[in-house]
């Protein structure tokens, strides 16, 4: 992944496939969105029987991870009641401060894109998202 500034369609599709496989393993149908480093949608899958309301949540989790270059759940510490920046989740057209969004960075820490997953409990969403990203780096070796 040298000299890349973003992930491409082929990589995004591989991330979605790996995330889908992990979702099947845990028995939870998911919505899976992969965005490039600019926050533009590259690939999306709605597994059979995935919750319709989770489509927008998956997109927002990926967007949250791109905008803040980190896991979507990291935003919670800032926007929670009593946090230093309450209601931050209401900015940028809506953000999601729960697990399921994971930024994709190269070995130098540059942002390449993000995955957002929704359809299960936040811990399940996060697990599936991380499985998708892990596949990208296994293929790069």
């Amino acid at each position: 992944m040298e000299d890349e500034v973003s992930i491409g369609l082929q990589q995004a599709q591989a991330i979605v496939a790996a995330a889908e496989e992990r979702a099947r393993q845990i028995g939870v149908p998911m919505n899976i969105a992969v965005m490039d480093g600019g926050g533009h949608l590259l690939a999306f899958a709605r597994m059979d029987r995935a919750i319709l309301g989770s489509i927008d949540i998956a997109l927002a989790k990926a967007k949250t991870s791109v905008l803040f270059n980190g896991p979507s759940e990291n935003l919670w510490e800032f926007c929670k009641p009593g946090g230093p920046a309450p209601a931050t989740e209401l900015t940028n057209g809506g953000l999601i401060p729960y697990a399921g969004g994971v930024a994709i960075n190269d070995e130098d820490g540059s942002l390449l894109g993000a995955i957002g997953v929704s359809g299960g409990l936040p811990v399940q969403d996060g697990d599936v998202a991380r499985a998708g990203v892990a596949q990208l780096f296994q293929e790069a070796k």
Side-chain angles (χ1 to χ4, degrees):
M1 294 181 23
E2 296 173 17
D3 300 322
E4 291 187 36
V5 294
S6 191
I7 58 172
L9 178 60
Q10 185 175 357
Q11 292 167 316
Q13 290 171 330
I15 292 167
V16 168
E20 281 184 273
E21 178 57 31
R22 180 62 185 147
R24 276 192 287 281
Q25 288 172 358
I26 66 172
V28 180
M30 300 278 188
N31 293 288
I32 305 159
V34 178
M35 293 183 174
D36 65 18
H40 303 284
L41 185 63
L42 280 171
F44 180 84
R46 180 180 160 264
M47 295 175 68
D48 294 343
R49 296 181 315 281
I51 297 169
L52 292 175
S54 289
I55 293 170
D56 285 344
I57 295 171
L59 292 165
K61 286 180 179 181
K63 177 180 158 185
T64 300
S65 290
V66 165
L67 291 175
F68 290 89
N69 194 9
S72 54
E73 67 265 26
N74 286 357
L75 187 60
W76 178 248
E77 289 304 312
F78 295 95
C79 65
K80 69 181 178 182
T88 300
E89 74 278 11
L90 303 176
T91 67
N92 294 288
L95 304 171
I96 303 291
Y98 306 116
V102 176
I104 302 167
N105 301 95
D106 67 11
E107 52 278 345
D108 296 325
S110 296
L111 182 66
L112 302 175
I115 183 173
V117 175
S118 185
L121 298 172
V123 67
Q124 293 169 318
D125 295 350
D127 175 53
V128 169
R130 287 186 302 277
V133 173
Q135 178 63 28
L136 176 66
F137 292 103
Q138 288 174 359
E139 288 180 1
K141 291 181 182 180

